[in-house]
Amino acid sequence: MKNKRIVSYLLIIGVIYFVSFYQMDSYITRPGSAYELSPLVHVENGDTDDEGSFSLMTISMLSATPALYVYSLFQDGYEILQPEQVRSPHESEEEYNVRQLKMMSDSQINALKAAFETTGMPYEIETAGVFVLNVLEGGAADDFLKAGDRVLSIDGNKFESQQEFIDYLSGKQSGDSVELIIEREERELVETIALQPLPTDPERVGLGISFVEDKTITTDPKVTIESEQIGGPSAGLMFTLEIINQLLEEDITKGYTVAGTGTMESEGQVGRIGGIDQKVMAADSDGMEIFFAPHDGEADNIESNYGLAVQTAEEIGTDMEIVPVKTLQDALDYLEELQPK
């Protein structure tokens, strides 16, 4: 009898452990938090004596366990995502994280460009090679390159654009060797790689990587942004507004707590993002008074960010003002007309 009780206890413990810690092949997202930007953005000799604030919004993403999966089915603001809704094909978890951090880095460059153009202050953008996002298993660069590497040159050639990089490799044949100078964790390495047919397209020859252009920006005054492990491009608009606020002597927040989301495109457009309903919930929970939402319009039967933000605000009964923006100038015009608090 005693042995049966021990076996029963062990079975119960095993079941509890399984439902609590077993990692399912899916993800759970939920409302995150508002992060005030003034402690994260530092403009050299900038104006920081402001009454209001700008905040970026985050979404928390967790690996699903059986218990969390079931819990999420009954919780407002929780969403269950399959791997293909999160990661690109052939992309590992580590490569996904690298891509998210790279998108955050690129969004900051766009934010700096837009802020300095808006305020008429000098900046300079330079190409720093290409940034490796993903290395295909079985490709030529497998075992040589990894996500996060910067390819500075090939055979001594530096490239001003992604297309120049592609064009150079397209003139090669299978078996041709190329010498790459790469930057990895602030160290320069030299790798010689024999090109092979691409695992995803055997008719073409290449390194077997996915990549994006890698750019740097120099500004006057200097700006540093401490985003740590926050990933993705959706804070571009809010970074831009915070940088402008520190570049100018006036407080463009007019004393309000302002949150929002949206990518900052190179020409000043504000792009749509995912999870805006969860970000509205998080902004309301953190006491935000104004929320900028991308007004991307309805296309291809996809509800606009702004429309979903308004719907969510009505459902949770928030007093927070939801403001549609298509461009950076839309946000600035709204703030210009806002009565000081």
Side-chain angles (χ1 to χ4, degrees):
M1 193 69 168
K2 183 178 180 180
N3 289 337
K4 287 184 178 180
R5 284 200 301 269
I6 292 174
V7 171
S8 297
Y9 291 149
L10 290 175
L11 286 173
I12 292 171
I13 291 171
V15 170
I16 293 174
Y17 183 87
F18 174 81
V19 300
S20 301
F21 297 105
Y22 175 75
Q23 299 293 303
M24 300 175 64
D25 193 21
S26 56
Y27 299 90
I28 307 295
T29 60
R30 65 185 182 187
S33 301
Y35 283 83
E36 185 176 340
L37 283 167
S38 58
L40 305 180
V41 177
H42 305 277
V43 175
E44 189 174 42
N45 299 318
D47 173 38
T48 56
D49 185 21
D50 298 321
E51 294 295 326
S53 64
F54 289 113
S55 294
L56 64 81
M57 303 308 305
T58 64
I59 293 174
S60 297
M61 179 179 290
L62 307 170
S63 294
T65 64
L68 183 58
Y69 189 98
V70 173
Y71 178 80
S72 301
L73 295 174
F74 303 97
Q75 291 298 308
D76 291 336
Y78 281 62
E79 185 175 358
I80 300 168
L81 300 176
Q82 300 307 311
E84 59 271 18
Q85 295 175 276
V86 176
R87 302 197 305 266
S88 298
H90 312 291
E91 185 177 51
S92 68
E93 186 90 20
E94 179 184 359
E95 289 169 336
Y96 166 78
N97 291 331
V98 168
R99 178 165 60 87
Q100 290 296 304
L101 293 175
K102 175 58 176 170
M103 286 194 294
M104 168 60 85
S105 175
D106 288 347
S107 76
Q108 293 172 4
I109 290 177
N110 286 344
L112 285 162
K113 176 178 180 290
F116 275 71
E117 284 185 346
T118 298
T119 56
M121 296 187 178
Y123 71 92
E124 184 176 349
I125 294 179
E126 295 181 352
T127 301
V130 299
F131 185 93
V132 179
L133 295 174
N134 168 250
V135 180
L136 295 176
E137 185 177 355
D142 199 8
D143 296 329
F144 291 97
L145 301 181
K146 66 179 185 178
D149 286 347
R150 287 175 169 84
V151 180
L152 304 180
S153 68
I154 302 181
D155 295 334
N157 299 297
K158 295 185 178 181
F159 304 98
E160 292 299 320
S161 69
Q162 181 172 311
Q163 190 59 49
E164 287 183 8
F165 184 93
I166 294 171
D167 289 344
Y168 182 81
L169 290 177
S170 66
K172 300 291 183 179
Q173 297 181 352
S174 180
D176 287 351
S177 292
V178 292
E179 183 180 85
L180 276 61
I181 296 180
I182 66 172
E183 179 182 290
R184 177 182 298 164
E185 297 174 357
E186 301 182 356
R187 295 183 300 124
E188 283 195 10
L189 305 173
V190 179
E191 297 285 2
T192 300
I193 301 175
L195 300 179
Q196 299 177 17
L198 301 177
T200 55
D201 185 0
E203 298 298 318
R204 296 173 55 208
V205 170
L207 291 168
I209 62 174
S210 60
F211 55 90
V212 292
E213 290 180 7
D214 196 37
K215 295 184 179 294
T216 61
I217 185 168
T218 304
T219 62
D220 185 15
K222 182 180 179 181
V223 180
T224 56
I225 301 176
E226 301 172 5
S227 57
E228 298 180 350
Q229 296 302 306
I230 300 172
S234 64
L237 170 63
M238 302 313 294
F239 273 123
T240 307
L241 292 172
E242 176 62 32
I243 294 166
I244 291 173
N245 202 30
Q246 292 190 31
L247 287 171
L248 301 176
E249 291 186 6
E250 63 185 284
D251 179 7
I252 66 173
T253 70
K254 303 289 182 66
Y256 292 87
T257 53
V258 184
T261 188
T263 65
M264 178 51 56
E265 307 302 329
S266 59
E267 300 304 318
Q269 294 90 354
V270 177
R272 70 178 287 121
I273 54 88
I276 195 165
D277 52 341
Q278 296 167 318
K279 292 182 177 181
V280 169
M281 293 178 184
D284 176 60
S285 296
D286 286 346
M288 299 293 105
E289 297 170 296
I290 297 169
F291 188 96
F292 288 127
H295 191 27
D296 49 315
E298 296 183 10
D300 300 324
N301 297 317
I302 299 175
E303 185 175 21
S304 73
N305 272 180
Y306 171 64
L308 182 54
V310 170
Q311 177 184 327
T312 304
E314 292 174 350
E315 290 173 353
I316 64 177
T318 181
D319 293 328
M320 183 171 59
E321 182 75 17
I322 308 297
V323 180
V325 290
K326 292 184 177 180
T327 66
L328 169 62
Q329 194 59 49
D330 288 344
L332 293 173
D333 289 345
Y334 174 85
L335 294 170
E336 178 67 25
E337 296 174 6
L338 193 62
Q339 291 297 313
K341 188 174 179 181

